[in-house]
Structures are given as structure tokens and as C-alpha cells.
Amino acid sequence: MNMMKNIIKQFTIEGVVEEIRPLGAGHINDSYFVLTTGTSPNYVLQRINHSIFKDVDALQNNIQRVTQHIRKKLVEQGESDIDRKVLTPIKTSNGTLYHQTPEGEYWRVMLHINNSKSVDDISPELALVAGEAFGNFQAMLADLPQPPLVETIPNFHNIEVRLEAFHEATKQDLAKRAEGTKELITELKKRAEEMCRAEQLYREGKLTKRINHCDTKVNNILFDENNKVLCVVDLDTVMPGFVLSDFGDFMRTGANNGKEDDENLDNVFFRMDIFETYAKGYLQTARDFLTPIEVELLPFGAKLLTYMQAIRFLTDYLNGDTYYKTRYPEHNLQRTKAQFKLLQSMEENYTQMCQLIESL
């Protein structure tokens, strides 16, 4: 507590700190709620995971540029209560966007958005609102001035790079698990060429990269007490990418009837009701800046991101579980099977998905 109080003192906050306590259960950064006395604002203190985000300067500069641009748009739109509708990074007394301790830890502070909540359970009604929120987020950032944002995790959604790692893992077979997964490996390799379609179109100049959120889960949206959207949060992975990736990542998580690692594969299937309402909400707010090919590829994005995650889980399994945390020896294999089952369900519904996007 004393250590964190010393860290918070490095930032230009208002009021006197009364309490600092853990906030949420983030998988990457450690977050703390900072309560101040009286009517002063409250804050969020975060320790940045430097092993994942190696260029903290670029990370924080990305977030500053994005939040300033959104804030400017909200002012132009005449929005009220703007501090609840976009994240507000707080600078240190030296004017920097983070504080580095002598031990080499990186810390940052943001305004806490009071009377806000996140949700984990999805419904068609919530998918509609989430689609509008993420579409609006991309739309507001479509005209962010140059230079491009930095890739905070290089090649994060680059399927060709993920496939290189996968092929290397099957070749090396470090954990001697390739024999037992031969069928899965064959099925995934069979789809590899199709899944590189977006990267190929990008090289041909037919597909562009835009500013993406790159973690479009429903719990990365904050709602007010009346269940109205306040803002999109968790901006660490905001960087250039294909809009179909952001669309597809929501489908991979939000439209899966089962869990990412479901042990009962009968639970795992693609929910067309979620696809339909999310797509409707997304296109309502994003269609003005999207090109025809971007719209056409939205259903492909769902397949691509699900395939990519299956590749990542199986790569880690073949390498001996060195990246993802696992609860039991076959956990990464079960994750792969669940993602592959979801992919197969998407393939069965693919014609209907494409027809629905065309009708919207």
C-alpha cells in the first residue's frame, strides 16, 4: 500500500488518497482502484505488463493519441459528461504518461469512470449495442491523423506469422504430441491457404488497415446505471489491422454458445442470432467508412479469428504449453478442439452469414 501510495504521488492527481485496493481480475496488467477524499475524482492505477508490451512509450503514446482524438470528436458532437465517455490518461509531474520505478516496473494512472459497469453475459439485445459501440469506436478513429499507430504487439492478428509458428511447431514436435493430434493438424493445414486471403488482398492493395481495438469482447465496453454505453475500454491493443479481425474476434467469443475451452463439444456451436444483431449494430455505425470489400469480408473475419486461435492453442500444445496458462495437461488441446468445432459450425452457416451481411 505504501509503495503504491508513493507511485500515485508521481502523478498529477487531485485530492488525498484514502485507499488503494485491487480492481478486477485482468489477465495482463495489474489494476487498482484509488479512492480519494471528498469530491475529488477517483483513479485507476495500473502496473503495465512489460513482458507483453515491450515498448511502453509507444503503448502510452497510442492511447494518448486515440483518447485525445475521441475526446475532440465528442466535443464536436456536443456530448456531455465527456470524462465518462472516453478514458482520460493522467500525466506524471514530469509530464510523462507513465512512471518507471527503480526496479524497472511501469505504472500508469487513468481517471476512474464512476457509476459504470461491464457485463460478461451476451444476448442478442446486448450484441446489437456492442456492435454499435465497436463500430462507432472504429468510425471515430477512421480519420486519426498520421503517423500510423505503433503495433503494440507486432503481428498480433497476422495469420501468416501464426502459421509459420504452427508449421515450425509441427516440425520440431518438442513435446512429442504431433502423433496424437495428426487429424487436427491435417484439418487446420487444409484451410491455411484460404485463411491467408486477407493478407494477400492487402499486398495487392485491395484491402486497407485501419485502427482496430484488437480485443473486442463485450466486457471491454462500460455501461452506465441505465445500461447505456459509456465507452470502449482496454486500449492497450489499439493498433492498425483489418476491420474484419475486430468483427471476427467478437464473433469468436460472443457468438460461441459454449466456452472457449468447453469440455463438452456439444455445447459449442455458432449463434446466428448474435451474428445477426451484432452485424446490424456494427454496420449502423461503421458503414460510412467501410469499403465494399471490407463489408463482404466480415463473415470471413469470424472464420479467420476462430481459425487463428485454434492455430495458436495447438502451436502452444505442440511446444509443451509455454505461452498460455493451463489447468491440466491436455488443456490447450481441448481449447483447440473447441475452437475447431466452432469453426466448423461457422463453415456450416457461412452462406447464410454472407447473405445476411448483403441484406444489411
Side-chain angles (χ1 to χ4, degrees):
M1 175 73 168
N2 285 338
M3 183 264 288
M4 283 188 279
K5 275 193 170 179
N6 287 334
I7 289 168
I8 199 83
K9 279 179 188 171
Q10 309 303 317
F11 292 85
T12 54
I13 68 165
E14 298 174 36
V16 177
V17 174
E18 187 174 302
E19 184 188 1
I20 301 177
R21 59 176 182 261
L23 178 68
H27 295 302
I28 296 176
N29 303 311
D30 299 321
S31 301
Y32 300 88
F33 174 69
V34 180
L35 177 69
T36 62
T37 55
T39 57
S40 300
N42 299 315
Y43 298 91
V44 176
L45 171 67
Q46 284 187 321
R47 176 168 35 209
I48 300 167
N49 188 329
H50 188 229
S51 64
I52 291 178
F53 301 109
K54 299 186 185 300
D55 188 344
V56 176
D57 257 333
L59 170 74
Q60 290 301 100
N61 189 52
N62 275 8
I63 292 172
Q64 179 77 346
R65 288 180 62 199
V66 163
T67 52
Q68 281 184 339
H69 193 72
I70 291 174
R71 184 174 287 271
K72 179 170 168 280
K73 288 285 177 79
L74 293 173
V75 170
E76 289 168 358
Q77 291 166 12
E79 284 282 357
S80 58
D81 206 6
I82 288 177
D83 284 344
R84 296 180 75 213
K85 293 177 180 172
V86 63
L87 291 179
T88 308
I90 304 297
K91 290 185 177 180
T92 66
S93 50
N94 295 326
T96 59
L97 292 163
Y98 63 89
H99 170 67
Q100 185 179 6
T101 68
E103 297 76 32
E105 291 182 345
Y106 293 83
W107 293 81
R108 67 181 172 204
V109 172
M110 288 166 286
L111 268 186
H112 180 262
I113 298 177
N114 292 326
N115 301 315
S116 65
K117 62 182 180 181
S118 62
V119 296
D120 292 302
D121 296 328
I122 195 76
S123 66
E125 296 75 23
L126 191 55
L128 177 74
V129 173
E132 290 173 350
F134 282 120
N136 188 49
F137 179 80
Q138 287 181 339
M140 284 198 288
L141 294 170
D143 61 350
L144 184 77
Q146 294 293 325
L149 295 181
V150 174
E151 286 192 34
T152 53
I153 305 177
N155 296 309
F156 187 49
H157 281 170
N158 186 325
I159 188 57
E160 292 177 338
V161 171
R162 299 296 184 186
L163 278 167
E164 280 174 25
F166 173 59
H167 293 316
E168 189 64 25
T170 58
K171 196 163 68 179
Q172 291 197 7
D173 195 15
L174 295 174
K176 304 296 178 223
R177 289 168 162 176
E179 184 62 32
T181 55
K182 230 189 317 190
E183 209 174 301
L184 264 175
I185 290 170
T186 301
E187 285 292 337
L188 290 170
K189 283 185 173 179
K190 205 160 66 177
R191 293 163 169 81
E193 188 178 347
E194 178 204 353
M195 293 301 167
C196 294
R197 183 182 172 199
E199 295 292 345
Q200 185 59 43
L201 287 169
Y202 175 66
R203 280 191 289 273
E204 292 170 4
K206 295 173 183 172
L207 189 62
T208 190
K209 286 191 178 181
R210 303 186 185 275
I211 297 172
N212 269 10
H213 185 275
C214 294
D215 192 13
T216 48
K217 296 184 181 73
V218 70
N219 60 12
N220 280 330
I221 300 170
L222 288 186
F223 297 85
D224 68 12
E225 53 272 29
N226 300 314
N227 296 320
K228 301 288 186 191
V229 170
L230 287 171
C231 66
V232 171
V233 296
D234 198 358
L235 307 182
D236 290 334
T237 54
V238 174
M239 55 185 161
F242 304 128
V243 292
L244 61 94
S245 295
D246 260 12
F247 184 91
D249 208 19
F250 187 92
M251 289 302 127
R252 185 186 74 80
T253 55
N256 181 359
N257 184 71
K259 293 183 292 193
E260 188 176 70
D261 58 353
D262 215 307
E263 293 178 31
N264 181 1
L265 294 181
D266 289 340
N267 292 333
V268 178
F269 57 85
F270 187 62
R271 289 186 57 180
M272 280 299 296
D273 58 340
I274 299 296
F275 177 83
E276 181 174 356
T277 54
Y278 184 88
K280 186 177 179 183
Y282 177 75
L283 287 171
Q284 278 175 358
T285 51
R287 66 155 52 95
D288 286 348
F289 72 87
L290 294 174
T291 63
I293 196 165
E294 285 176 314
V295 176
E296 180 192 323
L297 288 173
L298 292 177
F300 174 72
K303 290 200 300 182
L304 173 61
L305 267 289
T306 306
Y307 175 83
M308 192 181 303
Q309 197 57 56
I311 288 287
R312 292 179 67 189
F313 284 144
L314 190 52
T315 298
D316 198 35
Y317 180 71
L318 294 170
N319 286 337
D321 309 315
T322 58
Y323 184 81
Y324 292 106
K325 289 178 183 172
T326 54
R327 294 196 312 272
Y328 53 92
E330 304 294 291
H331 196 180
N332 271 325
L333 180 58
Q334 191 58 40
R335 286 165 166 157
T336 308
K337 288 177 178 177
Q339 291 295 288
F340 183 62
K341 174 76 188 300
L342 179 62
L343 175 63
Q344 289 175 307
S345 181
M346 287 176 176
E347 289 170 342
E348 289 164 11
N349 286 280
Y350 195 64
T351 300
Q352 191 183 345
M353 290 159 71
C354 293
Q355 288 169 347
L356 182 65
I357 292 294
E358 194 178 342
S359 73
L360 290 171

